[in-house]
Amino acid sequence: MNSTAFRPRRFDLIAFDWDGTLFDSTALITRCIQLAVQDVGGTVPSDKDASYVIGMGLMQALAHAAPDVPADKYPLLGARYKHHYSVHQNDITLFTGVLEMLDRLKARQHLLTVATGKSRGGLNEALRDVNLQGIFDGSRTADETAGKPHPLMLQELMMEFGVEADRVLMIGDTTHDLQMAVNAGCASVAVSYGAHEPDSFEVLGPLAIAHSVAELDAWLQANA
C-alpha cells in the first residue's frame, strides 16, 4: 500500500510556471528573442541576457532584452518574435516525467494551476499541443493580469480557489517566479534546468532546488 496517499497535504494549491519548468522551451525562446531583435535592427542580446527575461510578459521581456530598440518598433518586435516561435513551436515538448508527476499530484487531490508569462492564446495552444487541457484547475497569463514578479497572478488564483498563501506552492525556473512567490507570501521550489542559473535562487528562499523533473517529483511526493 502506498503510504504517500495518506500523508497530509502541506500545500492545497500548486502553481507551476510553464516555459522552462514544465515545457522544454528555454533554448527556443532565447533564440527567437535574438532573431526578433536582429530583425528590427537592435543589438542582439547574449544568450544569458535573452534567457534572463523568460517568464516576463512578452513585451516587457522584449523591451528589457533590447533596450536600444525604440518603442515605436515594439509592435514589429513582438510580431517577429511570434513569427519565429510559431515556425518551431512544434519542435518542443514537455520535459520527460512531467505527465507522470502531474498525474500523481492530481491523485493526491492538489489543485494544479499555471502562472505564466505566456499570453492566454499561447498557453491554450501549448496545452492543446501536449494534451493537457483538462489537468489544470486554473491558470493566469501575463496578458490578463500583472506580469511577474508582481504577485497578482498568485493572488488571483488564491482568491479563485479560496486558498490561503501558506497553503500555496509556486514552482519555477526563474528568479521572477521565486520573487513573485515572495511577494505573494507563498512558498516556492526552484528548478535549475530552465532559464536562470541556480546560484541566483538561494537569496529568494526556495524550499528546494530540483535539478531534474525526477527530483522535483520526488520532492513533491515527500514534502507537498
Side-chain angles (χ1 to χ4, degrees):
M1 185 175 295
N2 185 356
S3 63
T4 63
F6 300 96
R7 187 175 298 153
R9 285 197 309 271
R10 179 178 179 183
F11 300 106
D12 296 320
L13 188 152
I14 300 176
F16 289 93
D17 171 59
W18 183 257
D19 290 304
T21 300
L22 300 179
F23 204 56
D24 189 6
S25 50
T26 299
L28 174 60
I29 293 173
T30 298
R31 185 59 180 150
C32 289
I33 290 171
Q34 293 169 326
L35 290 171
V37 174
Q38 178 178 291
D39 287 349
V40 301
T43 302
V44 177
S46 66
D47 288 354
K48 181 179 180 180
D49 289 343
S51 64
Y52 174 78
V53 304
I54 294 174
M56 299 178 180
L58 177 58
M59 293 317 304
Q60 177 190 7
L62 293 174
H64 192 283
D68 62 334
V69 173
D72 61 1
K73 286 190 175 182
Y74 285 177
L76 177 59
L77 182 62
R80 295 309 298 166
Y81 170 83
K82 292 175 181 177
H83 164 75
H84 290 298
Y85 188 87
S86 68
V87 170
H88 295 287
Q89 63 181 345
N90 292 327
D91 298 345
I92 51 180
T93 188
L94 295 168
F95 287 107
T96 300
V98 164
L99 286 174
E100 295 82 359
M101 175 181 69
L102 295 175
D103 284 343
R104 279 188 277 272
L105 293 172
K106 289 291 281 188
R108 290 189 59 181
Q109 300 184 323
H110 294 280
L111 291 165
L112 302 183
T113 65
V114 174
T116 177
K118 298 183 83 66
S119 67
R120 170 54 58 190
L123 177 61
N124 288 347
E125 184 173 6
L127 290 172
R128 286 194 300 270
D129 287 344
V130 295
N131 296 314
L132 281 182
Q133 300 100 312
I135 200 162
F136 292 106
D137 299 287
S139 59
R140 288 297 186 278
T141 61
D143 61 339
E144 61 190 12
T145 185
K148 303 171 186 178
H150 195 285
L152 191 57
M153 282 190 196
L154 291 177
Q155 290 168 340
E156 288 182 354
L157 288 168
M158 287 188 278
M159 184 176 298
E160 178 178 347
F161 294 102
V163 179
E164 297 296 324
D166 64 350
R167 304 288 295 179
V168 175
L169 178 67
M170 177 67 206
I171 300 173
D173 68 311
T174 71
T175 55
H176 315 308
D177 299 312
L178 304 187
Q179 186 64 60
M180 178 173 65
V182 170
N183 293 344
C186 301
S188 68
V189 167
V191 301
S192 67
Y193 50 80
H196 285 190
E197 293 298 323
D199 59 5
S200 63
F201 294 155
E202 290 288 357
V203 68
L204 295 169
L207 298 179
I209 300 174
H211 300 292
S212 67
V213 172
E215 280 191 26
L216 176 62
D217 187 9
W219 189 93
L220 290 169
Q221 290 301 309
N223 299 283

